[in-house]
Every structure is written in structure tokens, then in C-alpha cells.
Amino acid sequence: MLDLAPPTAAGFAAVERRVAALLGTENDVVIMQGEALLPLEGCVKGAAAPGSTALNVVTGPYGQTFGDWLRECGATVHDLEVPFSGAATAEQVEAALAAHPETGFVSLVHAEAATGNTNPVAEIGEVVRAHGALLMLDAVASVAAEPLLTDEWGVGLCVIGAQKAMGGPAGVSAVAVSGRAWERLASNPRAPRRSYLSLLDWKERWIDAGRRALPHAPAQLEMAALDACLARIEETGLAAVQARHRAAATAARAGVLSLGGGLEPYVRDERAAAPVATTLRTPPGADASALVAKALAADASLPVAAGGGALAAAMIRVNHYGANATLDAVTGSLRALGEALAGAGAGGAAGEVDTEASVRAAAGAWSDAL
Ligand SMILES: *Cc1c(COP(=O)(O)O)cnc(C)c1O
């Protein structure tokens, strides 16, 4: 890891092209040297001019953050809030745009690892395009877990990070920027310039300069790790990586439905459930954080976590992404949660806990899905 040479300009540009292929885009890809919140903040602050109007679709905690940034930029923001147990629909977005025809920017999260839901971007993208607004998509938790067709869906700003389904590093991220998105950023006098948040700096100093010299020293460890994780996806095949995530989600859902003890899928409609992570609703009287602590005490390597913030008592997350998109990770999580539930005295009216039935159902769903 030490004495690692930084990537050359040509090597850096080659990684950009492979990210573009992963996203199904011909647009410019900017690889940013920081966690995905960096390009997300850069996109919002670049696109949200004072006096502009934005529609912010909130299906989880990231949408709430985008709304705060948009308001900070002086934009008028209309939040379309959807319960975390479901997804936004194209009809809802269409109605919101019709109610506020001056809307020029729409922010949307594709899949939400934090709440386990995923939004129908193809349909929403069509509505946004018909309205003439620019769509920003947070695809951090969907890339490599489910289809992500940036150009076909008309996504103007598509942001990804490598740390979820790609199984890569958290310290680099990327954004695909359409021609219309560049125009919008360039016309915003308040868009960040001479700033780490600035996409326009990358355009001017890297893309328009012919990608001959990097504007500053790249993070060589993270770039090497991103290169390796792209190579692994290319070798395995993107469709196979996505299929494994979908199978893990299907197995987790089937397993929970057979577990008993009152634990249920948090996302009610399976079509709105994200392949990246499955969220569970705890029965009344059972505390999610306490159950997770017990499960992790049995096996600290399990990909289970309690929901964040206000969801800490009622939501359990099974993060079956990246290296954990496996049947073992899912069944291990179900077993440990089932034992924690049984130990907590669940059962009775909520039904007995049947860990073995749950594991069998998960295994059956996994092999049916693959
Ligand atoms: C994980 C994730 C991010 C990145 O944020 P972290 O706090 O580093 O995990 C951004 N957006 C979405 C939708 C995510 O799921």
C-alpha cells in the first residue's frame, strides 16, 4: 500500500470511461476524490440557483439532506414526502410538477440503503423529462445492485459511490453530467468555483483541457481500489452482480415472512423493496437496537444494524450488499435475529419464532431467484 504511484492522467480517464459504461451513459463522468456526499453536495449547490424552484422527493434520510442544501442555496423547495415503507410514483411526481410548473430541478434517491426502498426511476424520469426539468439521481445504493440506465432514463446528474453494492472503497465517488446539466451549472452565478465542491472546476481544468493533467493529486489508494472493484464487476458480469443482490433481497423477505415473532418486512410492496438492503419492522414492545445488539453479540460480522435516528427502535436493516450479497449473510442474519427475538420473549400473540423455517424459506427463495 505504501509507495504506490498515483494514477496517470490516462489511467484516471480510463477509470472514468469504465464508470460511464457501468452507468449506461455517454455523458461526462467526473470521479471525485471523496465520499459520495461530495458530488451530491456539488450537484445540488451547482444546480440550485437562488430564486430557482426545485422538487425534492423524500423517501429516506438522504432526501431530507438534499432539501436542506437546496434551501440553503436560496431555491424554493417543494418536498414530496413519501412514507419510508413504500416508493414515490410517477403520478405523484407529475402532480407535484403540475402544481409548481416553474420547477426546473428534481432531486431523487434511487435506492435507499437506510430505509430499504427503491424508486421507479424510469417512469419518474419520463415525467421529469416531459416537464423539461433536470433530474439529479442519488444512485449510491442502487449501482451494481439493480439496473441503472442513466441515459435511457434521462438522468442529468447521476451520482454513485463504490462502497455499497460495488463492494469498493468509500473514499471516491463519481457523477455523470449531461450537456444540459453542464449548461445549468454554468448559468448559475452561485455555483461553487475554485472549491472542492466544484464540478465546473473539473470541467474547465480537466475535461475541457483534454484530460491531459489532473487538477490535483488524486487519492491513489482509493483510485487503485476503485480500479480493482470495477475489474471484479467486469469479470463477474454486472448482470450477475445485480442478480445476487436481488436474490439476497428475495431470500431475506421470504425468510422474514416465515420467521414469526411479529417481525415483518418494513417495505410493504415487494416491488418497492431495494435489492441492496432489507429493512424489518419490529413488533410492538421489541426494540430494534436491543435485538441488533444481541444478534451482533452472537456474531459481530453479521450485516445487521438498527435504523438511524428516529427509526432506531422500530427498524432493523439487513445490509446484504457487496461481499454480503450472499445466502450465508442473509441466513446468518435471520438466525441471529430469530434467536434474539425468541430470547426476548417474543411469540405468543405475535406467533412463535421458527428460525429453521425461516432459513429454509430463504434458501428456497435464493435458489429460485438465481
Ligand atoms: C450509502 C448512501 C450514501 C452515502 O452515504 P454514507 O453516509 O457514506 O453511507 C448516499 N446516498 C444513499 C442513498 C446511500 O444509500
Side-chain angles (χ1 to χ4, degrees), residues 5 19-20 35 50 114 146 203 211 240 279 289 328 335 350:
V19 170
E35 201 268 338
E146 59 190 295
K203 179 164 171 55
R211 294 185 173 86
T279 44
S289 297
D328 277 356
R335 203 182 283 282

Short mmCIF file of all heavy atoms in Angstrom, two decimals, residues 5 19-20 35 50 114 146 203 211 240 279 289 328 335 350:
data_model
loop_
_atom_site.label_atom_id
_atom_site.label_comp_id
_atom_site.label_asym_id
_atom_site.label_seq_id
_atom_site.Cartn_x
_atom_site.Cartn_y
_atom_site.Cartn_z
N ALA A 5 2.32 4.38 -6.80
CA ALA A 5 2.35 5.53 -7.71
C ALA A 5 0.93 6.06 -7.93
O ALA A 5 0.00 5.27 -8.03
CB ALA A 5 2.95 5.11 -9.04
N VAL A 19 -16.49 3.63 -15.54
CA VAL A 19 -17.64 4.03 -14.71
C VAL A 19 -18.80 4.43 -15.62
O VAL A 19 -19.96 4.06 -15.37
CB VAL A 19 -17.26 5.19 -13.75
CG1 VAL A 19 -18.50 5.76 -13.07
CG2 VAL A 19 -16.26 4.70 -12.70
N ALA A 20 -18.51 5.14 -16.71
CA ALA A 20 -19.56 5.53 -17.65
C ALA A 20 -20.26 4.29 -18.20
O ALA A 20 -21.49 4.25 -18.30
CB ALA A 20 -18.97 6.37 -18.79
N GLU A 35 -15.99 10.89 -0.45
CA GLU A 35 -17.19 10.07 -0.30
C GLU A 35 -18.33 10.70 -1.12
O GLU A 35 -18.28 11.88 -1.49
CB GLU A 35 -17.52 9.99 1.19
CG GLU A 35 -18.37 8.84 1.61
CD GLU A 35 -19.81 9.19 1.60
OE1 GLU A 35 -20.10 10.40 1.68
OE2 GLU A 35 -20.65 8.29 1.50
N PRO A 50 -30.14 30.73 -6.65
CA PRO A 50 -31.11 31.48 -5.85
C PRO A 50 -32.30 31.86 -6.72
O PRO A 50 -32.11 32.24 -7.88
CB PRO A 50 -30.34 32.73 -5.42
CG PRO A 50 -28.89 32.43 -5.65
CD PRO A 50 -28.82 31.38 -6.71
N ALA A 114 -30.70 3.07 3.72
CA ALA A 114 -31.10 3.37 5.10
C ALA A 114 -32.54 2.97 5.38
O ALA A 114 -32.90 2.70 6.53
CB ALA A 114 -30.91 4.86 5.39
N GLU A 146 -28.98 -3.04 -8.86
CA GLU A 146 -30.16 -3.12 -9.72
C GLU A 146 -29.88 -2.30 -10.98
O GLU A 146 -28.95 -1.51 -11.01
CB GLU A 146 -31.41 -2.61 -9.00
CG GLU A 146 -31.34 -1.18 -8.51
CD GLU A 146 -32.50 -0.84 -7.59
OE1 GLU A 146 -33.64 -0.84 -8.06
OE2 GLU A 146 -32.26 -0.58 -6.40
N LYS A 203 -14.61 20.45 -15.01
CA LYS A 203 -14.88 20.59 -16.45
C LYS A 203 -13.80 21.46 -17.09
O LYS A 203 -13.22 21.10 -18.11
CB LYS A 203 -16.27 21.20 -16.67
CG LYS A 203 -16.60 21.40 -18.14
CD LYS A 203 -18.08 21.63 -18.34
CE LYS A 203 -18.42 22.06 -19.77
NZ LYS A 203 -17.94 21.12 -20.79
N ARG A 211 -8.17 16.35 -20.72
CA ARG A 211 -7.83 15.29 -19.77
C ARG A 211 -6.33 14.95 -19.82
O ARG A 211 -5.93 13.80 -19.77
CB ARG A 211 -8.65 14.02 -20.01
CG ARG A 211 -10.16 14.19 -19.74
CD ARG A 211 -10.90 12.87 -19.88
NE ARG A 211 -12.30 12.96 -19.47
CZ ARG A 211 -13.31 13.34 -20.27
NH1 ARG A 211 -13.06 13.70 -21.52
NH2 ARG A 211 -14.55 13.37 -19.82
N ALA A 240 -24.79 -10.45 -13.30
CA ALA A 240 -24.66 -11.47 -12.24
C ALA A 240 -24.55 -10.82 -10.86
O ALA A 240 -25.10 -11.34 -9.88
CB ALA A 240 -23.44 -12.35 -12.53
N THR A 279 -35.17 -4.00 5.03
CA THR A 279 -35.48 -3.42 6.34
C THR A 279 -36.66 -4.17 6.96
O THR A 279 -37.57 -4.60 6.26
CB THR A 279 -35.82 -1.92 6.21
OG1 THR A 279 -36.69 -1.75 5.08
CG2 THR A 279 -34.56 -1.11 5.99
N SER A 289 -32.88 -1.75 18.31
CA SER A 289 -31.47 -1.59 18.71
C SER A 289 -31.04 -2.70 19.65
O SER A 289 -29.92 -3.22 19.55
CB SER A 289 -31.25 -0.23 19.38
OG SER A 289 -31.53 0.79 18.45
N ASP A 328 -25.47 -16.97 2.82
CA ASP A 328 -24.95 -17.11 4.19
C ASP A 328 -25.17 -15.86 5.03
O ASP A 328 -25.54 -15.95 6.21
CB ASP A 328 -23.45 -17.42 4.16
CG ASP A 328 -23.19 -18.90 3.93
OD1 ASP A 328 -24.18 -19.67 3.89
OD2 ASP A 328 -22.01 -19.28 3.79
N ARG A 335 -31.09 -16.03 11.40
CA ARG A 335 -30.91 -16.94 12.54
C ARG A 335 -30.62 -16.14 13.82
O ARG A 335 -31.26 -16.35 14.86
CB ARG A 335 -29.76 -17.90 12.24
CG ARG A 335 -29.79 -19.19 13.00
CD ARG A 335 -28.57 -20.06 12.66
NE ARG A 335 -28.66 -20.75 11.37
CZ ARG A 335 -29.38 -21.85 11.16
NH1 ARG A 335 -30.11 -22.37 12.12
NH2 ARG A 335 -29.39 -22.41 9.98
N ALA A 350 -47.96 -12.79 18.80
CA ALA A 350 -47.24 -12.47 17.57
C ALA A 350 -46.83 -13.73 16.82
O ALA A 350 -46.35 -13.66 15.69
CB ALA A 350 -46.01 -11.62 17.89
#
